[in-house]
Every structure is written in structure tokens, then in C-alpha cells.
Amino acid sequence: MQKANSFIRLDVQKNGVQGSVRAYTGETGSRSISVFLTDGGKCFDIGTISSAALRAIKPDGTHIYNACIKEGDRIVCYLTSQCVAVEGEVEAQLELNGANYERLYAPRFKIIVESELYSDDVVESSDEFTELQEAMNAMDNMITGANLSDGNLW
């Protein structure tokens, strides 16, 4: 299945939350975020980055620290089931590491996690007509199976 990919641009010269992306609770292996970095409006060279990680705090206070990958001129972060486990705003930030132990934190962004329409764990109710139809089918089967040779159903 193709992944839903969100794009976000972050300027390393600016502070604060610089954007948001959306996801749903219960999603697994289906979303990624492509982060384009700029430096005062100019393209930020990610060629010297040796590793990148997504650092995040979920609405329940738990933390995420997941590896990201370089792909061309962007950093790609794949959202795991834990990233979207809790409904609300996930505060996120990229950690960029250089080969000589340099570390740079990119500006923050939000992952807005909404609940899915209903959970797979929910017990599904049945349509009453379906129940009625099944009861009628069962009665038909009982009548068909009855010995009608003496003219009595029972």
C-alpha cells in the first residue's frame, strides 16, 4: 500500500512551532513526514548529517525517539503506531547529528492525532432486520425439515 506522505518545511533560524501534520489513532506503517530544512530561507545542506531522529512528546506525557532517514534533499520520518497511539497534539522536533558529534535541533512541529471513526476493538451491534431475517430463515429450515406426511408441523 502506498504511504500517505505529509510535507513540512522548517527554518533552522526560527524558533517556535512551524507547522503541523495530521494522522489518526490506530494507523500503522501508513504515514510518513518529509521534512525540508531551510537556513534563513536558503536550502539547508543535509549532506553532512550522519543521523536524524524524531523526538516527540505525546499528549499523555510519554516520549518518542525514532530514527529518520535522509532521502534526497529531505529528512523522512515514518510514523509508528506508538506515535499515533494517543489522541491529541504530539509535539515533535528533529534531532540532527553530524559525523563529528555535532547536534542541531530543528524547530518544532505538531502531529495532530485524531481518533479513528471507531476502533476495531468495539463490539459491533447487529442490524435488527438481520436478526429478524435469520430467525425467519431458521423457522423455514425447521418447517422444511419437519415430517409433513401426517399434515402436522409438530
Side-chain angles (χ1 to χ4, degrees):
M1 176 172 99
Q2 180 177 335
K3 291 189 183 344
N5 190 25
S6 298
F7 296 88
I8 194 164
R9 185 174 307 274
L10 304 175
D11 190 329
V12 298
Q13 293 298 330
K14 297 179 181 176
N15 293 325
V17 176
Q18 293 189 13
S20 64
V21 297
R22 296 190 173 274
Y24 290 96
T25 57
E27 293 183 322
T28 56
S30 59
R31 287 195 187 267
S32 62
I33 304 170
S34 288
V35 181
F36 294 92
L37 297 170
T38 60
D39 185 1
K42 299 174 187 166
C43 188
F44 183 87
D45 180 14
I46 65 169
T48 59
I49 295 172
S50 61
S51 69
L54 175 69
R55 300 167 55 101
I57 301 174
K58 296 186 284 186
D60 64 359
T62 56
H63 296 83
I64 299 285
Y65 187 84
N66 290 340
C68 301
I69 60 170
K70 292 190 308 185
E71 211 172 84
D73 60 349
R74 62 185 183 234
I75 305 292
V76 179
C77 307
Y78 293 97
L79 296 184
T80 63
S81 59
Q82 276 302 308
C83 285
V84 297
V86 179
E87 184 179 5
E89 290 187 356
V90 176
E91 192 160 347
Q93 183 175 49
L94 289 184
E95 175 186 302
L96 309 170
N97 298 296
N100 296 317
Y101 305 104
E102 308 98 325
R103 178 174 295 151
L104 175 69
Y105 293 110
R108 296 178 184 183
F109 60 97
K110 301 275 185 179
I111 303 169
I112 300 169
V113 180
E114 299 178 57
S115 65
E116 72 271 27
L117 186 57
Y118 64 88
S119 171
D120 291 341
D121 298 332
V122 173
V123 176
E124 295 181 32
S125 63
S126 298
D127 188 307
E128 288 183 50
F129 177 78
T130 302
E131 293 297 319
L132 178 61
Q133 187 64 44
E134 287 178 12
M136 291 174 67
N137 289 342
M139 184 59 89
D140 285 344
N141 290 338
M142 286 174 38
I143 293 171
T144 302
N147 182 354
L148 300 177
S149 61
D150 63 358
N152 294 323
L153 292 177
W154 317 113

